[in-house]
Structure formats: structure tokens, C-alpha cells
Amino acid sequence: MSAKRKPRPFSRVALIGIGLIGSSIARGIKKHKLSHEVAISTRRRTTLNTARKLGLGSSYHLKAAQAVKNADLVILCAPLGANKALAQEIAPHLKPGAIVSDVGSCKESVIKDVGPHLPEGVHLVPAHPIAGTEHSGPEAGFAALFEDRWCVLTPADGIDAKAVKAVEGFWRKLGSRVEIMDAAHHDQVLAITSHLPHLISYTIVDTATDLERDLQKEVVRYSAGGFREFTRIAASDPTMWRDVFLSNRDAVLEILGRFTEDLTALQRAIRRGDGELLHDRFTRTRAIRREVIDAKQAGTEPWRNRR
Ligand code: NAP
């Protein structure tokens, strides 16, 4: 490092995967001057060229092993299903004391897939920025994505406290609020707040596409009546979401069981004409919306509506 360089929290950050999340992190690092170097790696040359054209990093690599050399922070930003192979590939090339983190939407699977491959003296601090859009790829990212959003860290017991602090500081500088949580608890919470809503959206849109052609046209024409938001969520990346459901199977199946019971209760109320039960349920849920808005998690900021 040159003697004249002003200190930054990291000297080299390696981003493995440069889609929506990786490229938003790259932009945030640049904006907030969080690292001297940003090494970018992705498996396809076309994606790497796009990242280069966008000027997202300081070096570009088709091999993750090259990107992580001398990195003090490595962040895995590929779909969850790629983590195990990536961990095996980078492990021999990590410098002692390096921090390995990630952005995956499930956390127990990251600890299971990545942890066992890391050498002694390398610290695993898994992270999940609870922020995103339905868009994918390096062009979809923007630095403000993480502002006022939660980022959950799930370090296992005994992980170096300094490493956890460094990752916490990194996300705070990107504008996030940070919470430290047990990985299994994270997966249960996200099963209900994120994974189940995605599954329901995929199902509703799929059911609609099964309707005959004329009706489908009507569905699109009148989609503002609630369906539109489901189509937005159901446009989310299929690879990412396949991996989420395969990685968080137990928690999703548990919550799906409860949901099915509640849905059946509403179905029965409709069949029996039990308006009181319907009204009670809908009154209760209305209050939850108020809480989400008060917690500034409703996505009503102008920039969030631009895509
Ligand atoms: P994305 O836009 O689809 O980008 C994925 C990146 O990973 C691309 O650079 C892709 O490279 C690379 N990649 C794909 N398969 C790979 C493989 N088998 N091995 C190595 N690299 C591979 O995805 P994203 O939305 O940024 O999501 C990335 C991670 O963030 C996921 O783990 C997801 O759970 C998590 N996350 C997503 C959101 C969201 O809303 N999207 C929110 C929070 C967390 P190529 O183009 O070169 O194939």
C-alpha cells in the first residue's frame, strides 16, 4: 500500500458474483470509500465484461481463486447453491486473518456449506442484507439499495469478535441497520416474511397463466386490483429462489403447514358465510400494515418505486 493513501476500512474486498447484490455492494464501496481495491469475479465472461464497462471494480477475474488473493474481506454474492463449490475453490488462496462473508437469503446452509472448507485463522461472518428488487445482473445494482434496510449477521459461536465488528461496520457504512441473530432463527423469520410470500406469488401467477387465453388477457388488463404486486414478486430470479427453497426446506415447510391451516379456516368461513370471522381477521392484518409503515419497511421511498 502506498504511504500517501488515506486509510480505509479494508485494503482489498473481493466480490464473488456481481449481480444485483454484488454490484450494489461494489457501488456502495466506491461511494463510501470502504476499500482501496475491489476485486470482482464471476463465472461468465459476458457478465465480467459488463462489470468492467460499468467500472464496478479495480480488477476483474474469471477465477474466484485469483480474486480472493490478498483480500481482507471476501463476500460471496452468487446464488446459494454455488457456495459450497466456491468455498472449496477459494479456501487454499485466502490470506490468514481474512474474513469470508456472504449475502445469501438463508443462513444455516451457508454455515454448513462454507464453514468446513475454510482454513484455520479465516473468519466466517455470514450476512443477509434484507434488501432487493426483482431485477438481476450487474446493471440492476445501485448504491442506495441497502439504505435504511436491515442486514442480519449470523456468526456462529466463538467467531472472532473483531471480524464481526468489521463486517457490522461495513454494512452500517452502506446505510444498513445491523442485527446479529442465530442462523436458525433468521431462517425461521425469513421463511414467513420473505420465502412464503414469494412462494404464494409464484403460485398465484402460475395459476393465472393456466387460465384460458381470453381470461389471461383480462388478468393482465385488470392487474392493478392486487395481482400486479404478485407479478412483480413472481418475476424474481428463478435460480436464486430455487436455491432459497432448497436451502431453507424445513423452515418453509413448517410455515407452509401453518399457512395452509389458516387458509382453510378462511375458506370455511367464506363457505359458511361467516362474515364476522373474515372481518376480524382483516382488521387484525390491517394493523400489521401500519406497523410495517411505522418501521419504515414499506418501501414507500420515491427511489424504491422507480423500477
Ligand atoms: P444475480 O443478480 O442473479 O447475480 C448472481 C451472480 O452470481 C452473477 O454474477 C452470476 O454470474 C453469479 N453466479 C451464478 N451462478 C453461479 C455459480 N454457479 N458459480 C459462480 N457464480 C455464479 O443474483 P443476486 O440477486 O445478486 O443474488 C445473489 C445472492 O444474494 C443470492 O444468494 C441471494 O440469495 C442473495 N440476495 C438476493 C436478494 C435479491 O432480492 N435479489 C436480496 C438479498 C439477498 P454469471 O452471470 O457470470 O453467471
Side-chain angles (χ1 to χ4, degrees):
M1 197 199 293
S2 131
K4 282 184 186 159
R5 281 208 293 198
K6 279 198 180 156
R8 292 187 178 186
F10 296 95
S11 57
R12 180 175 166 105
V13 175
L15 300 174
I16 313 302
I18 193 72
L20 168 71
I21 301 295
S23 73
S24 296
I25 294 175
R27 288 171 164 98
I29 292 175
K30 209 178 199 182
K31 182 175 169 190
H32 301 288
K33 300 186 169 47
L34 301 183
S35 179
H36 291 291
E37 294 174 29
V38 177
I40 286 172
S41 167
T42 192
R43 62 179 174 168
R44 289 189 302 145
R45 192 175 291 280
T46 48
T47 308
L48 198 64
N49 285 342
T50 306
R52 191 183 276 117
K53 263 192 220 137
L54 292 168
L56 295 175
S58 51
S59 65
Y60 301 88
H61 313 265
L62 280 172
K63 295 260 172 270
Q66 283 171 1
V68 304
K69 275 187 189 149
N70 290 320
D72 33 18
L73 174 63
V74 174
I75 309 180
L76 304 176
C77 305
L80 287 158
N83 279 341
K84 189 174 174 184
L86 286 172
Q88 285 168 331
E89 181 189 342
I90 63 173
H93 307 277
L94 293 166
K95 79 169 182 186
I99 299 170
V100 173
S101 189
D102 79 306
V103 293
S105 310
C106 309
K107 302 291 12 133
E108 273 203 302
S109 68
V110 174
I111 293 176
K112 185 168 65 73
D113 290 346
V114 177
H117 304 288
L118 300 185
E120 193 77 12
V122 166
H123 314 291
L124 176 61
V125 185
H128 177 204
I130 304 180
T133 73
E134 67 281 21
H135 303 284
S136 308
E139 283 136 326
F142 52 107
L145 177 64
F146 309 113
E147 287 173 11
D148 289 328
R149 290 288 180 247
W150 285 102
C151 181
V152 179
L153 309 187
T154 64
D157 287 345
I159 291 295
D160 182 62
K162 264 196 195 158
V164 178
K165 272 263 161 272
V167 176
E168 186 177 341
F170 178 81
W171 282 102
R172 285 198 196 284
K173 292 237 165 64
L174 291 180
S176 295
R177 296 186 254 174
V178 179
E179 180 86 32
I180 296 180
M181 210 183 267
D182 170 67
H185 185 65
H186 165 279
D187 289 358
Q188 282 166 355
V189 172
L190 269 291
I192 178 69
T193 58
S194 169
H195 307 169
L196 184 65
H198 274 82
L199 197 68
I200 292 169
S201 301
Y202 282 125
T203 313
I204 289 180
V205 175
D206 201 37
T207 304
T209 56
D210 275 349
L211 295 179
E212 92 265 359
R213 247 176 127 245
D214 282 353
L215 192 51
Q216 248 196 66
K217 274 189 202 147
E218 305 290 282
V219 166
V220 171
R221 187 180 304 151
Y222 301 118
S223 60
F227 185 68
R228 182 172 54 194
E229 191 53 17
F230 286 114
T231 62
R232 188 187 68 72
I233 299 174
S236 300
D237 190 75
T239 306
M240 169 188 156
W241 282 97
R242 176 202 64 195
D243 288 2
V244 166
F245 290 112
L246 296 179
S247 303
N248 200 19
R249 197 173 58 169
D250 292 348
V252 169
L253 289 178
E254 158 68 21
I255 212 68
L256 203 51
R258 285 180 182 224
F259 173 76
T260 311
E261 282 173 24
D262 291 345
L263 191 62
T264 306
L266 290 182
Q267 192 180 358
R268 197 174 49 233
I270 293 169
R271 187 159 28 81
R272 290 180 176 173
D274 186 349
E276 203 178 325
L277 188 141
L278 294 174
H279 194 269
D280 278 0
R281 288 291 165 91
F282 301 161
T283 306
R284 211 165 71 186
T285 54
R286 198 177 209 188
I288 297 279
R289 174 67 184 169
R290 193 67 258 160
E291 284 179 33
V292 171
I293 292 170
D294 290 348
K296 296 197 170 59
Q297 299 299 301
T300 49
E301 303 84 342
W303 63 263
R304 291 193 200 283
N305 294 329
R306 73 174 188 214
R307 4 187 108 240

